Amino acid sequence: GMLDAHTVACVVCRHAEGLVAWDSVYFVQIALEGYEYEQSRAFFPALPAAMRYAGRLMFGGPQVTRCAVILSGLVITNLAFIISAVLLEQLGIAVLGDAVVARAAAILYTFNPASVFHSGIYTEPVFAAVSFGGCLALVRGHRNVAAGLFAATCAVRSNGVLHLIHLAFDFVDATVLPGWRAGVRLWWMRDKSPRGKLSHHDW
């Protein structure tokens, strides 16, 4: 006969539980109980918070269950993985202007050996999606959006603060370098002009 909904749910939850290993254990624990232990503080709150609220949204009830947290975590990270691949391709097109190379880069990113971490409950796919989104916004000139997305990565992983390098480079490229180039150009034109050269009467 057909399996009832409860039996199916138990089977799904049992298989999902088997995917909880390594760092995933901490993310699930934080989503359920918060930061109970000192070692949990090494893991940033964005993903566990998203798992908890998504679990409530998808499965209902004020008290989110362990199975709901795990399933919501898998949905979030796998969806983020897909989004990150799409954004990487778009970023490659925007920067390189070559759709073929951009598509190849996205495919290599998708099928690299480390992509196993993008299919489990880890911060890598979420961090990648938000980071690529920030880089794409910056390339397209949407600096406020880029700054907001880069700031959001800091709630996912501690190395999100390194995105300040992107903003600093953009600032230098947009403001400092044009002024420096204009100054050099004026100096060069002045040096080459007849008035800028010293004649023998000036000695």
Side-chain angles (χ1 to χ4, degrees):
M2 296 182 62
L3 296 175
D4 60 19
H6 177 72
T7 304
V8 172
C10 290
V11 172
V12 171
C13 289
R14 186 165 59 250
H15 285 285
E17 185 72 43
L19 298 175
V20 179
W22 299 314
D23 292 355
S24 301
V25 175
Y26 291 97
F27 291 124
V28 171
Q29 184 64 27
I30 294 168
L32 288 170
E33 306 294 340
Y35 289 91
E36 285 190 314
Y37 306 104
E38 184 176 354
Q39 61 266 33
S40 300
R41 300 184 187 278
F43 303 94
F44 279 46
L47 179 57
M51 291 164 56
R52 184 175 184 85
Y53 288 114
R56 286 179 179 174
L57 182 64
M58 290 189 295
F59 300 98
Q63 295 295 326
V64 64
T65 65
R66 180 178 177 85
C67 180
V69 164
I70 294 172
L71 292 177
S72 64
L74 291 171
V75 170
I76 290 170
T77 53
N78 281 273
L79 183 61
F81 184 30
I82 296 171
I83 293 172
S84 67
V86 173
L87 289 173
L88 179 60
E89 181 182 8
Q90 294 301 310
L91 180 61
I93 294 173
V95 173
L96 302 174
D98 190 327
V100 175
V101 175
R103 175 66 60 85
I107 292 173
L108 289 174
Y109 163 76
T110 304
F111 291 101
N112 78 87
S115 64
V116 63
F117 295 104
H118 292 173
S119 300
I121 304 175
Y122 298 93
T123 54
E124 280 81 356
V126 178
F127 185 80
V130 183
S131 297
F132 294 157
C135 290
L136 183 59
L138 192 61
V139 168
R140 291 178 174 176
H142 305 302
R143 292 184 174 89
N144 291 337
V145 175
L149 290 173
F150 289 152
T153 63
C154 295
V156 181
R157 295 175 66 91
S158 60
N159 51 352
V161 71
L162 295 177
H163 287 307
L164 285 172
I165 296 173
H166 294 302
L167 297 175
F169 178 82
D170 179 71
F171 173 78
V172 171
D173 185 61
T175 59
V176 178
L177 289 183
W180 182 81
R181 293 191 189 103
V184 170
R185 192 178 302 111
L186 288 174
W187 178 84
W188 181 259
M189 292 174 61
R190 178 184 178 279
D191 187 62
K192 293 298 182 180
S193 66
R195 291 185 179 182
K197 294 181 178 180
L198 293 175
S199 64
H200 66 280
H201 297 293
D202 298 321
W203 292 92

